């Protein structure tokens, strides 16, 4: 039963009740009126009989009285029975006697004197009146009323049903349809339209307007929630971290983009599954996640290693307890901290190297002083035996010998050669110490005009002191071919920075060629160093005949932390720092060319004139 039928039935029931009450009251009033008329007519008949009975009672002519009663009874159907009582007995009757009834009418028979005195009572007239006619009238009235009310109810019910259906049910049905659509499909205010809904002519119109206003506000809030939800999802998906939420039973409830990229599994396929089944990284850390859920505190697990795409990485897992409306769970965040750990190790190594560098610089200063004394002393000894100084000859004669004999002895015993070796190697050592001091001096990024060929030679001298016992390579055993263009002009540069670039290239090349020599004993490592001028640049080429590199390695060679060396053997920063020095600090270019298995060539172009930057 729909709403209109229920409303119509309710209204008709109420009207029926009210109409029945009014009809009952009306019938009761008419019944009372008919009864009053019946009583009045009965009293008139009783009066006639009482007047006629006075003489018959006085004369005791009872048969006449009996005849009169029969005549009246035959002519007045309202009278069912009559009797006349005299001295306590019935002297005349009609229809055989009377019984007490609600329709009994009694009238005294009084004989009055002619003088108008009160008279005395002779007897009593009793009538039994019939209300059958009144009942028939009442039944007829009730039938008419019932027919009338039934007709009115039917017509009124149809009218009410039509009115309610058009005015009420159509709009309520529209609201119901839209409410159902909203609950299943969402809100679309543009589809919500009822004719006359904006006029506000009745309560339903106002209700619809309020409903539309409410839906508009709900839609705006849902749109804001959608935007916020999309923003949060984008923020979480933009993070490089793996973000997963689980319930206390370790079932996945959220799966971000980082987790999808790590596992190749979409969110729909991951949701509801055990987290350790689809994300093997968390399997050894399930206890840490349970600990965070049970204690309600953030728990950071120790760093652990894992393999991703064949590479060993270091991860950090943090579990955040999640409590929403009494539902427990945890947010699992997994970060790849491989580069961070490597950077920490590099920083520690850098601090160590800075300390070693400081010690080396101090040692170089301390070595330089006795080295100078040694070189100077060797020079003085050679001057003391020189024939060019008369004092030497004179002192020798004073000792009963000749300077020539002394020199002859020293030459035969190669003492002079030893002294020359001391002086030569001492000067070479002094040059090495000077270069070390200059290289270890803090760079203030001050540009100065410098010769590329001299800078390269100084760097070769520094690299020549590098001997790696672990890799068993000696830079001094590498052949170096020089192809310097003559007459190159000096260019502005930061000497220590370009020396650092060249040293990195020479050391990397030497290490690569040492690895090749370990596989090919007859292989001879060699460098080719070239310089020549271009239009606006001076070009430096550092070429080695080492193992070369593949194309995918060549493309990534200047990326920070990229290295082809095993863990612990390199930081992956040398070439990236060199690239930054050349391109950023000196506004030049740096490229690499290679033939796998044959050679590698680094090409550096430095501007002849310093730019504005």
């Amino acid at each position: 039963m729909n709403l209109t039928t229920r409303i119509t039935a309710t209204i008709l029931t109420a009207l029926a009740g009210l109409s029945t009450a009014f009809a009952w009251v009306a019938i009761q009033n008419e019944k009372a009126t008919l009864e009053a008329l019946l009583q009045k007519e009965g009293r008139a008949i009783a009066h006639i009989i009482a007047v006629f009975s006075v003489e018959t009672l006085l004369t005791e002519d009872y048969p006449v009285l009996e005849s009169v009663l029969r005549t009246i009874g035959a002519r007045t159907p309202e009278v069912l029975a009559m009797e006349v009582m005299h001295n306590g007995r019935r002297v005349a009757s009609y229809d055989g006697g009377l019984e007490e009834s609600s329709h009994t009418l009694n009238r005294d028979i009084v004989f009055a004197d002619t003088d108008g005195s009160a008279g005395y009572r002779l007897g009593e007239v009793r009538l039994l009146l019939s209300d059958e006619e009144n009942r028939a009238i009442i039944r007829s009235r009730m039938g008419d009323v019932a027919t009338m009310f039934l007709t009115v109810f039917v017509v009124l019910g149809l009218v009410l049903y039509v009115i309610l259906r058009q005015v009420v049910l159509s709009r309520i049905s529209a609201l119901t349809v839209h409410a159902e659509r909203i609950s299943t499909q969402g809100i679309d205010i543009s589809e919500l339209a009822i004719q006359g809904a904006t006029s506000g002519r009745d309560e339903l119109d106002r209700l619809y307007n309020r409903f539309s206003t409410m839906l508009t506000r709900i839609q705006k809030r849902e749109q804001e929630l959608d935007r916020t939800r999309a923003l949060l999802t984008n923020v979480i998906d933009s993070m490089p971290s793996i973000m997963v939420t689980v319930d206390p039973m370790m079932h996945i409830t959220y799966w971000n983009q980082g987790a999808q990229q790590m596992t190749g599994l979409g969110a729909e396929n991951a949701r509801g599954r055990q987290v350790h089944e689809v994300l093997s990284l968390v399997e050894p850390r399930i206890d840490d996640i349970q600990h965070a859920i049970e204690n309600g505190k953030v728990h950071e697990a120790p760093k652990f290693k894992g393999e991703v795409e064949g590479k060993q990485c270091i991860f950090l897992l943090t579990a955040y307890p999640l409590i929403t409306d009494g539902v427990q769970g945890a947010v699992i965040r997994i970060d790849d901290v491989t580069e961070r750990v490597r950077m920490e190790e590099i920083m520690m190594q850098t601090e160590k190297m800075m300390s070693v560098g400081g010690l080396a610089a101090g040692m170089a200063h301390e070595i330089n002083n006795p080295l100078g004394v040694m070189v100077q002393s060797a020079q003085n000894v050679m001057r003391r035996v020189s024939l060019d100084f008369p004092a030497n000859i004179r002192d020798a004669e004073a000792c009963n010998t000749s300077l020539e004999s002394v020199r002859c002895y020293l030459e035969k015993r190669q003492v002079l050669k030893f002294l020359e070796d001391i002086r030569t190697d001492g000067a070479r050592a002094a040059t090495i110490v000077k270069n070390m001091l200059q290289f270890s001096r803090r760079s203030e990024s001050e540009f100065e005009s410098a010769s590329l060929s001299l800078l390269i030679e100084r760097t070769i001298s520094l690299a020549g002191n590098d001997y790696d016992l672990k890799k068993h390579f000696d830079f001094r055993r590498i052949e170096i071919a020089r192809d310097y263009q003559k007459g190159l002009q000096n260019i502005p540069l930061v000497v220590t920075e370009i020396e650092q670039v060249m040293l990195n290239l020479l050391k990397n090349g030497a290490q690569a060629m040492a690895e090749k020599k370990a596989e090919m004993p007859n292989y001879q490592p060699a460098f080719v160093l070239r310089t020549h001028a271009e239009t606006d640049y001076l070009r430096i080429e550092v070429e080695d005949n080492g193992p070369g590199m593949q194309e995918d390695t060549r493309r990534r060679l200047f990326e920070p932390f990229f290295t082809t060396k095993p863990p612990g053997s390199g930081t992956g920063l040398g070439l990236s720092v060199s690239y930054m020095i050349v391109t950023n600090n000196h506004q030049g270019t740096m490229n690499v060319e290679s033939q796998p298995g044959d050679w590698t060539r680094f090409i550096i172009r430095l501007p002849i004139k310093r730019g504005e930057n």
Side-chain angles (χ1 to χ4, degrees):
M1 184 182 294
N2 58 32
L3 181 62
T4 301
T5 305
R6 290 200 298 271
I7 294 175
T8 303
T10 302
I11 294 175
L12 290 179
T13 301
L15 291 176
L18 291 174
S19 301
T20 302
F22 285 123
W24 184 82
V25 171
I27 290 173
Q28 291 298 322
N29 291 333
E30 187 170 0
K31 183 179 179 181
T33 301
L34 292 175
E35 287 183 354
L37 291 175
L38 182 61
Q39 290 291 332
K40 182 178 180 181
E41 186 176 356
R43 285 194 298 272
I45 294 173
H47 178 71
I48 293 172
I49 294 173
V51 172
F52 182 79
S53 299
V54 171
E55 184 176 355
T56 58
L57 290 179
L58 291 175
T59 60
E60 297 183 355
D61 191 0
Y62 299 128
V64 174
L65 184 57
E66 188 83 17
S67 175
V68 170
L69 292 180
R70 285 196 296 270
T71 302
I72 293 175
R75 294 182 178 180
T76 55
E78 295 85 358
V79 180
L80 295 177
M82 295 174 287
E83 65 179 6
V84 177
M85 303 296 293
H86 180 63
N87 294 329
R89 65 184 181 89
R90 182 172 60 196
V91 295
S93 63
Y94 169 73
D95 202 19
L98 294 176
E99 295 180 358
E100 289 294 331
S101 171
S102 60
H103 297 288
T104 300
L105 182 64
N106 298 330
R107 176 64 186 267
D108 292 336
I109 301 174
V110 180
F111 175 73
D113 292 338
T114 56
D115 57 1
S117 61
Y120 60 92
R121 183 175 181 275
L122 293 177
E124 183 182 16
V125 177
R126 294 179 180 179
L127 301 180
L128 180 62
L129 302 177
S130 173
D131 61 354
E132 183 62 28
E133 185 178 357
N134 292 346
R135 291 182 180 179
I137 294 174
I138 294 300
R139 285 194 296 270
S140 177
R141 294 288 190 274
M142 291 178 65
D144 295 340
V145 171
T147 301
M148 179 186 67
F149 275 109
L150 180 61
T151 304
V152 171
F153 287 159
V154 171
V155 174
L156 184 61
L158 292 174
V159 172
L160 282 175
Y161 184 83
V162 172
I163 292 175
L164 289 174
R165 186 176 182 86
Q166 293 296 326
V167 177
V168 178
L169 185 61
S170 60
R171 285 179 281 181
I172 293 179
S173 298
L175 290 176
T176 303
V177 169
H178 286 292
E180 291 176 352
R181 185 179 302 172
I182 290 167
S183 64
T184 56
Q185 303 177 4
I187 300 175
D188 189 357
I189 298 300
S190 61
E191 297 181 1
L192 201 60
I194 296 179
Q195 186 176 2
T198 59
S199 63
R201 61 189 178 188
D202 56 28
E203 288 77 6
L204 283 176
D205 291 339
R206 290 193 291 272
L207 172 63
Y208 179 79
N209 289 333
R210 298 297 182 272
F211 187 74
S212 300
T213 303
M214 178 186 69
L215 292 182
T216 303
R217 294 177 179 176
I218 293 175
Q219 188 180 43
K220 290 181 179 179
R221 293 178 182 176
E222 283 196 349
Q223 291 173 350
E224 293 176 358
L225 288 175
D226 289 340
R227 285 193 294 269
T228 303
R229 189 181 298 110
L231 176 61
L232 292 177
T233 301
N234 290 334
V235 169
I236 295 175
D237 286 342
S238 299
M239 296 175 62
S241 305
I242 297 174
M243 299 286 288
V244 180
T245 60
V246 296
D247 60 17
M249 301 304 295
M250 295 296 131
H251 292 113
I252 296 172
T253 57
Y254 180 78
W255 187 259
N256 82 328
Q257 190 68 29
Q260 295 183 38
Q261 294 176 355
M262 170 71 71
T263 62
L265 192 65
E268 295 298 328
N269 295 326
R271 193 175 293 115
R273 298 175 62 180
Q274 291 282 334
V275 65
H276 60 270
E277 293 179 358
V278 295
L279 191 60
S280 59
L281 289 176
V282 305
E283 186 170 3
R285 296 289 176 260
I286 291 294
D287 293 339
D288 296 310
I289 302 172
Q290 290 285 7
H291 180 77
I293 295 175
E294 293 171 359
N295 295 334
K297 295 181 179 179
V298 177
H299 183 75
E300 184 175 297
K303 298 182 182 69
F304 61 95
K305 292 183 179 180
E307 185 173 334
V308 178
E309 297 179 353
K311 292 170 38 178
Q312 286 290 331
C313 299
I314 302 174
F315 295 96
L316 177 65
L317 185 147
T318 308
Y320 302 89
L322 180 64
I323 301 178
T324 305
D325 297 331
V327 179
Q328 292 187 336
V331 177
I332 304 171
R333 174 179 172 180
I334 302 177
D335 294 294
D336 185 351
V337 295
T338 306
E339 302 301 336
R340 189 172 77 186
V341 172
R342 185 178 297 177
M343 179 63 74
E344 292 173 355
E345 294 175 352
I346 291 172
M347 292 177 65
M348 294 174 60
Q349 186 68 19
T350 301
E351 291 293 329
K352 185 188 299 183
M353 293 305 297
M354 289 177 63
S355 299
V356 172
L359 292 173
M363 291 176 62
H365 278 291
E366 295 299 325
I367 291 173
N368 202 32
N369 293 330
L371 189 62
V373 173
M374 291 170 55
V375 172
Q376 186 176 5
S377 298
Q379 289 177 347
N380 288 334
V381 170
M382 295 184 67
R383 287 170 60 88
R384 291 298 186 269
V385 296
S386 174
L387 297 174
D388 297 332
F389 295 96
N392 294 339
I393 298 173
R394 187 173 55 252
D395 290 340
E397 292 176 350
C399 293
N400 297 320
T401 186
S402 65
L403 186 58
E404 290 82 359
S405 299
V406 173
R407 287 185 61 84
C408 181
Y409 171 80
L410 294 177
E411 287 175 357
K412 286 182 177 293
R413 299 300 296 171
Q414 297 183 346
V415 173
L416 296 179
K417 181 178 182 302
F418 294 155
L419 290 174
E420 181 63 24
D421 290 341
I422 292 173
R423 188 188 66 80
T424 302
D425 289 344
R428 181 170 174 270
T431 302
I432 293 173
V433 170
K434 178 183 177 182
N435 291 338
M436 288 180 60
L437 288 173
Q438 183 174 0
F439 183 76
S440 63
R441 190 180 301 120
R442 174 182 289 184
S443 173
E444 300 295 340
S445 297
E446 294 181 358
F447 282 79
E448 58 181 290
S449 181
S451 168
L452 282 182
S453 58
L454 293 179
L455 183 148
I456 295 173
E457 290 300 318
R458 189 162 53 246
T459 306
I460 294 173
S461 176
L462 285 172
N465 300 308
D466 189 15
Y467 178 77
D468 195 322
L469 293 175
K470 294 182 180 179
K471 294 187 173 62
H472 304 288
F473 78 88
D474 188 349
F475 191 87
R476 289 171 293 186
R477 296 183 179 180
I478 300 175
E479 293 183 359
I480 301 178
R482 297 168 174 82
D483 182 12
Y484 301 153
Q485 180 178 336
K486 295 181 179 180
L488 288 180
Q489 66 184 89
N490 293 353
I491 61 173
L493 48 80
V494 180
V495 174
T496 55
E497 290 185 350
I498 300 301
E499 283 181 348
Q500 180 180 352
V501 172
M502 295 300 298
L503 189 59
N504 282 334
L505 297 180
L506 293 174
K507 290 184 66 174
N508 287 344
Q511 292 173 4
M513 289 187 290
E515 293 174 0
K516 184 174 180 179
K517 186 172 181 58
E519 299 175 357
M520 303 171 58
N522 297 325
Y523 161 73
Q524 175 58 50
F527 276 117
V528 178
L529 305 179
R530 304 183 182 92
T531 62
H532 66 273
E534 294 180 349
T535 304
D536 296 318
Y537 295 88
L538 291 188
R539 173 172 172 151
I540 305 172
E541 292 183 7
V542 180
E543 181 180 329
D544 64 67
N545 62 347
M549 66 186 72
Q550 299 295 329
E551 180 62 22
D552 57 346
T553 302
R554 189 194 68 80
R555 286 197 302 267
R556 300 186 58 193
L557 199 61
F558 298 124
E559 293 181 8
F561 305 109
F562 175 77
T563 179
T564 58
K565 301 173 184 177
S569 298
T571 62
L573 286 175
L575 289 177
S576 64
V577 171
S578 298
Y579 184 83
M580 181 194 68
I581 289 174
V582 172
T583 59
N584 188 40
N585 295 4
H586 288 78
Q587 301 173 11
T589 64
M590 186 174 183
N591 302 303
V592 59
E593 300 173 351
S594 182
Q595 179 64 42
D598 292 332
W599 54 268
T600 299
R601 181 186 302 125
F602 287 89
I603 302 171
I604 299 173
R605 291 182 176 88
L606 297 175
I608 296 176
K609 295 182 180 180
R610 185 182 175 191
E612 294 298 326
N613 292 333

